[in-house]
Amino acid sequence: MTSHKTTQTMKPATAAKKLGVYLEATPAEFQEGVVSRTELNALQADPPEWLQELRRNGPHPRPVVAAKLGVSIAGLARGGVTEALTTEQIEALKQEQPEWLRRERATQAEVRKEAVRIKEKKAERGEQAR
């Protein structure tokens, strides 16, 4: 019996998401092809110049923008940010500190505090159960 090994591939959108880059900013050959698991691993291990540049300067996808600003993706939407932003635009927002950004950062801080409280409470219950 012979085994047939097929190469696992993914759509460019999936690969871009895994690489943390905005698909529309990637080179045309990346957007138009399929990416194998081996190619993805190679891109992660030794990123080409275009990938390094995108990661450094953007435009960045919303999950990256949200993380750099310290807010949730929903918080970005509430703040009216629906497009990819460059590193320069993100830094400008950090400097300006618009009201929506201050509010969303405060919300995120509360969410994190609550998550820690719940985790500690669960750990405490686990200790009591012994």
Side-chain angles (χ1 to χ4, degrees):
M1 182 176 204
T2 59
S3 67
H4 297 284
K5 191 171 184 183
T6 57
T7 304
Q8 185 182 12
T9 60
M10 62 194 82
K11 294 177 182 175
T14 303
K17 191 173 186 176
K18 289 180 180 289
L19 292 169
V21 295
Y22 185 57
L23 177 63
E24 286 76 11
T26 61
E29 58 270 14
F30 181 87
Q31 292 181 40
E32 294 162 3
V34 292
V35 180
S36 71
R37 174 69 59 192
T38 304
E39 290 168 328
L40 179 70
N41 291 341
L43 287 169
Q44 289 173 323
D46 187 22
E49 183 56 39
W50 66 264
L51 182 53
Q52 292 177 38
E53 180 66 21
L54 274 179
R55 286 178 169 168
R56 192 171 31 251
N57 298 313
H60 303 287
R62 286 183 318 201
V64 174
V65 173
K68 287 179 178 274
L69 289 174
V71 300
S72 66
I73 294 173
L76 279 182
R78 285 190 292 269
V81 178
T82 57
E83 300 298 315
L85 298 180
T86 63
T87 301
E88 190 175 310
Q89 291 169 313
I90 293 168
E91 291 305 317
L93 276 173
K94 285 180 176 178
Q95 292 299 313
E96 292 167 21
Q97 285 284 317
E99 174 56 34
W100 72 265
L101 182 57
R102 288 195 300 275
R103 188 175 56 248
E104 291 300 333
R105 281 182 160 175
T107 299
Q108 275 300 99
E110 288 300 316
V111 167
R112 284 189 206 100
K113 273 200 285 191
E114 181 64 6
V116 167
R117 187 189 69 75
I118 290 169
K119 186 176 180 180
E120 287 171 351
K121 194 169 188 176
K122 283 182 179 177
E124 199 176 283
R125 283 190 191 140
E127 286 296 316
Q128 290 174 353
R130 290 184 181 177

